[in-house]
Amino acid sequence: DFIKMMESLLGAKAKMELLCSQETQRSHMQYDDLRKKVGFQLSTSIEDRLREFVQWYKVLLSIIFSMTKGQDN
């Protein structure tokens, strides 16, 4: 689901390579432990956060490209 969300937001198909699944499991377990111990719950959805990140990233790229465009000459 995460990959599909990113593909949709970026308008591009992902080139996937499965890396360390143990790290993913460990991260999920840490979040689950935190949620259980302190009652932590995310206040916004992952979709909303990804959308905000992608918007920020696109703005950053446009700034970088506009700064380097004049340096190519």
Side-chain angles (χ1 to χ4, degrees):
D1 289 340
F2 177 81
I3 301 296
K4 289 179 183 178
M5 279 188 274
M6 289 299 291
E7 288 175 334
S8 174
L9 291 168
L10 292 169
K13 187 79 175 149
K15 295 179 184 177
M16 295 187 284
E17 179 182 341
L18 183 60
L19 298 175
C20 183
S21 64
Q22 289 178 335
E23 182 64 30
T24 303
Q25 290 173 344
R26 188 171 31 251
S27 294
H28 179 37
M29 288 172 29
Q30 289 171 345
Y31 169 74
D32 205 37
D33 288 345
L34 178 64
R35 185 180 54 80
K36 288 176 184 174
K37 288 179 183 175
V38 299
F40 175 78
Q41 189 68 21
L42 292 172
S43 60
T44 58
S45 70
I46 189 72
E47 294 93 344
D48 290 340
R49 291 296 178 194
L50 283 175
R51 190 174 295 107
E52 291 172 6
F53 170 77
V54 168
Q55 288 173 346
W56 168 83
Y57 187 70
K58 287 179 176 180
V59 168
L60 176 65
L61 286 179
S62 69
I63 291 169
I64 291 170
F65 287 138
S66 69
M67 290 173 62
T68 59
K69 189 174 183 179
Q71 296 176 1
D72 290 341
N73 297 336

